[in-house]
Amino acid sequence: MASKRDNETVDLPGFFADLVRCETRLYNALNGLLRDRHGIVTSQFEALRYLRDHPEARVADLATEFAIGIGATSKVIDRLERQGWAVRQPNPSDRRSSLLSLTDSGSRLVDAAERTFADGAVELLRGTLDDSSAPAVARAISKLRAALERDRTGMPTG
C-alpha cells in the first residue's frame, strides 16, 4: 500500500515500521541510560516528569497522557510510592480519585534524570537530524500526535 501526494510515493507500511522501530530503539537506549545512572526506567522517568509538570494530577490524567489503561497507570504510581518518589493524597472534589504529587526525593530524581535524558537524546540523534531537519521532523510528529489525540485514536478500551 502506498500513498501518493505531490508526486512523492510514501510506503505506508514501511513508514510505520520505521517510526515504531525508531521509537522502540530510542526508548530502549534511553531506558538503559536512565537505569544505569539513576536506577529508574523510561516509563518511571516519564511519569515523574509528568507529575512534576502537572501538580495534583490524577491517575486518569496520566493514563490519558500515555494512552495506557488505568490499572497499568496505577501500578506505575504504586512503584513510585514504594520508592518514596510520589504520594497519593485524597482528592477533595472527588473521593473516588487521588491527587498525585512528587516528594522532594522524586523532584530531585526527575531533575537529575532529565539532564541525563536530554544529553542521551542529543547523542542518539546527533548526525541524523541536523539543525534544519530536526524542527520539521518534530513538527510533523507533533501534528500527527495532536490529530490522534484529538480523535482519541488508539486509546485503551479498558
Side-chain angles (χ1 to χ4, degrees):
M1 176 177 176
S3 173
K4 239 181 167 309
R5 182 177 176 172
D6 300 329
N7 296 327
E8 291 184 32
T9 301
V10 175
D11 169 24
L12 293 177
F15 170 73
F16 176 82
D18 287 346
L19 185 63
V20 171
R21 299 318 174 268
C22 284
E23 183 273 340
T24 301
R25 285 176 171 79
L26 289 170
Y27 195 94
N28 290 344
L30 292 166
N31 195 65
L33 192 59
L34 289 167
R35 187 182 333 99
D36 292 346
R37 294 199 185 157
H38 303 283
I40 61 174
V41 294
T42 308
S43 60
Q44 291 171 316
F45 167 71
E46 288 191 294
L48 290 166
R49 191 167 154 264
Y50 186 87
L51 293 177
R52 182 199 60 202
D53 297 344
H54 301 88
E56 298 190 341
R58 300 167 303 131
V59 168
D61 299 327
L62 273 80
T64 298
E65 171 67 15
F66 299 117
I68 58 176
I70 294 285
T73 306
S74 189
K75 287 179 183 178
V76 168
I77 298 303
D78 290 344
R79 289 184 195 107
L80 297 180
E81 278 189 301
R82 278 195 300 275
Q83 294 296 326
W85 299 326
V87 294
R88 283 181 168 104
Q89 301 165 6
N91 184 343
S93 61
D94 181 358
R95 291 186 295 165
R96 296 171 296 160
S97 71
S98 299
L99 301 178
L100 308 169
S101 59
L102 291 181
T103 63
D104 290 342
S105 176
S107 292
R108 286 190 300 274
L109 174 60
V110 72
D111 289 345
E114 189 161 49
R115 287 187 292 279
T116 299
F117 181 90
D119 292 345
V122 166
E123 188 60 35
L124 289 164
L125 298 174
R126 184 186 319 271
T128 306
L129 297 178
D130 58 27
D131 290 343
S132 63
S133 63
V137 170
R139 279 191 307 274
I141 297 295
S142 181
K143 186 176 178 180
L144 174 59
R145 177 182 176 183
L148 293 169
E149 288 179 355
R150 178 195 64 227
D151 298 338
R152 299 193 47 80
T153 303
M155 292 300 292
T157 57

